[in-house]
């Protein structure tokens, strides 16, 4: 089809702001967004990103304090990542991993497996997370993990093991399987008819990194009793190590993860770690569970995997899991899962470069330092406000609960948090609430000045509450 001048001008609405705004409202359906409310406001229309900042069509500069939905590692358009993406795009944009391969998948998978081992180098037993299964978003990484677990149990002859145990407050994604494993009611309510039943154990929150909550023993006993009671029916337990993101930044009690693993190992139940949010240094280390030396049977990674540039996710399995899928074609033991763009080469090239940079720039150390700085700033300027509950933080993942005037909390009690967030956006700092919790998840290489900018905007905006 030739380029026809009149039709080009008709379908190219990027002429004036009013037109762009109107076109956006007409044709773009935004996720988790009440479109009526959205249409009543002037939208933020971004055009360009550099470092920790996004620039909109009005040439205004905003600090991306929520890391473009928690996935940004190196700020926007980091030249090394851009060069890796451009270089790969010029060589090979896409070819499939179905019974074939490409150099970028091999390169990234090899490095990832090595880096995971390095992270777990003090583990008691050799770590065998050696098998990288590619998909293209966090939900499908979890979905693949769940299918992997079910198919594994079937193929090792444990055909009664068909159920999952998850945790209160869990979030594992928005596809139907991952949603079934989730525990946030408002996300699921309208879809109950197609969801399968899962079992739920407590996820004891520990606000202070140095002080275990009183209820953790009770929680542990309840979790142990459930695992024991369901021991012949559970295929796997799925848990978010260190901190739950979507439930409003809920840090997990120390040692709990090790106990989950211990009880599962006793009964031959697989452990799935969903590190889609925590992985890639969000809490400090590459793999958040590695300092606790707890190795899962299956590990899900996403979000920061490409540094926040392109969609990619992986489900990494141990030798034991992988080996149960070997056999003759006719036995049909091959993993029954795959996506058209699984392991896209451009995304893999970005992910490889991200890993190189994490090592070269010692990102884990940077996050540790920035995380300390942010914690001090929050204590000085935000925590003391009477509407602010105990601030929860692990690495550069922060949740600030805003006490609702009506004493409500959770997803539906967001009015005050929204007020504060909107005031921050007016000060050119992009934040997002999760219900009544304001979350901060900046690019991991943010400068100290960026952290100051966030905290001062927040402290100022709390005045919106009166
Ligand atoms: C974001 C997230 C997912 C889902 O990832 P998507 O890429 O949004 O599908 C799954 N698990 C956790 C813990 C997450 O934070």
């Amino acid at each position: 089809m030739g380029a026809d001048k009149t039709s080009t001008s008709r379908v190219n609405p990027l002429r004036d702001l009013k037109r762009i705004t109107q076109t956006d409202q007409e044709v773009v359906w935004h996720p988790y967004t009440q479109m009526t409310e959205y249409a009543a406001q002037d939208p933020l229309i971004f055009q360009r990103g550099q470092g920790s900042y996004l620039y909109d069509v009005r040439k205004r500069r905003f600090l991306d304090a929520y890391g473009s939905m928690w996935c940004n590692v190196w700020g926007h358009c980091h030249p090394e990542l851009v060069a890796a993406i451009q270089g790969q795009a010029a060589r090979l944009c896409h070819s499939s991993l179905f019974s074939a391969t490409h150099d970028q998948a091999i390169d990234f998978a090899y490095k990832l497996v090595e880096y995971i081992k390095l992270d777990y180098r003090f583990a008691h037993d050799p770590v065998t997370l050696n098998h990288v299964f590619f998909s293209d978003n966090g939900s499908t990484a979890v979905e693949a993990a769940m299918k992997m677990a079910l198919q594994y149990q079937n193929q090792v002859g444990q055909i009664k093991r068909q159920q999952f145990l998850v945790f209160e407050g869990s979030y594992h994604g928005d596809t139907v399987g991952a949603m079934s494993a989730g525990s946030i009611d408002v996300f699921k309510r309208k879809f109950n008819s197609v969801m399968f039943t899962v079992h739920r154990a407590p996820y004891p929150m520990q606000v202070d990194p140095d002080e275990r909550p009183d209820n953790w023993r009770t929680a542990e006993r309840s979790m142990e009793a459930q695992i024991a009671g369901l021991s012949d029916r559970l295929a796997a337990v799925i848990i978010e190590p260190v901190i739950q993101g979507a439930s409003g930044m809920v840090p997990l009690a120390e040692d709990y993860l090790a106990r989950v693993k211990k009880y599962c190992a006793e009964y031959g139940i697989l452990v799935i770690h969903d590190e889609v949010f925590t992985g890639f240094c969000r809490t400090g280390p590459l793999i958040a569970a590695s300092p606790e030396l707890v190795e899962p049977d299956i590990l899900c990674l996403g979000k920061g995997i490409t540094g926040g540039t392109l969609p990619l996710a992986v489900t990494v399995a141990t030798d034991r899991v992988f080996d149960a899928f070997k056999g003759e074609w006719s036995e049909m033991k091959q993993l029954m899962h795959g996506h058209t763009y699984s392991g896209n080469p451009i995304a893999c090239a970005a992910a490889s470069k991200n890993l190189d940079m994490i090592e070269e720039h010692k990102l884990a150390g940077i996050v540790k330092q920035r995380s300390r700085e942010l914690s001090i700033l929050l204590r000085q300027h935000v925590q003391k406000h009477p509407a602010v509950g105990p601030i929860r933080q692990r690495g550069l993942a922060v949740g600030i609960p805003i006490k609702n005037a009506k004493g409500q909390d959770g997803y539906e009690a967001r009015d005050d948090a929204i007020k504060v967030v909107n005031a921050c956006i007016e000060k050119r700092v992009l934040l997002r609430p999760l219900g009544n919790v304001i979350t901060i998840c900046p690019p991991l290489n943010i400068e100290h000045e960026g952290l100051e900018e966030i905290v001062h905007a927040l402290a100022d905006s709390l005045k919106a509450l009166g």
Side-chain angles (χ1 to χ4, degrees), residues 25-78:
Q25 288 160 1
E26 281 167 11
V27 298
V28 183
W29 192 348
H30 296 268
Y32 284 105
T33 303
Q34 176 43 257
M35 294 301 291
T36 307
E37 182 186 274
Y38 177 82
Q41 297 162 349
D42 260 343
L44 293 170
I45 308 169
F46 295 114
Q47 211 170 29
R48 198 166 69 77
Q50 193 183 351
S52 296
Y53 295 92
L54 287 166
Y55 296 80
D56 78 349
V57 289
R58 295 182 172 89
K59 313 285 181 242
R60 296 179 302 182
R61 189 181 89 155
F62 291 84
L63 178 56
D64 187 3
Y66 79 120
S68 292
M69 219 46 254
W70 311 348
C71 67
N72 194 291
V73 178
W74 299 105
H76 294 279
C77 297
H78 191 288

Side-chain angles (χ1 to χ4, degrees), residues 171-223:
Y171 177 77
H172 299 293
D174 282 355
T175 53
V176 172
M179 191 167 52
S180 296
S183 306
I184 302 171
D185 182 61
V186 280
F187 294 174
K188 308 172 47 160
R189 207 178 275 171
K190 311 263 165 89
F191 314 106
N192 275 335
S193 60
V194 294
M195 225 101 59
F196 51 83
T197 305
V198 298
H199 306 278
R200 276 193 185 81
Y203 191 90
M205 171 159 77
Q206 178 172 335
V207 176
D208 181 343
D210 300 318
E211 199 181 319
R212 212 151 40 181
D214 297 336
N215 68 347
W216 91 277
R217 276 263 173 240
T218 330
E220 190 204 348
R221 272 195 292 271
S222 157
M223 175 263 293

Side-chain angles (χ1 to χ4, degrees), residues 69-70 136-142 170-175 178 239-241 243-246 274-278 300 302-303 311-313:
M69 219 46 254
W70 311 348
D136 40 34
N137 64 75
S139 308
T140 54
V142 173
S170 61
Y171 177 77
H172 299 293
D174 282 355
T175 53
I239 187 164
E240 291 153 86
I243 186 168
Q244 283 179 342
D274 177 354
E275 292 224 23
V276 170
F277 172 55
T278 53
C300 305
K303 289 201 168 87
L312 186 77

Side-chain angles (χ1 to χ4, degrees), residues 79 90 111 123 253 262 299 345 347 350 408 413 426:
K111 274 188 208 155
K262 175 174 175 272
L299 170 65
Q408 301 163 312
E426 268 170 37

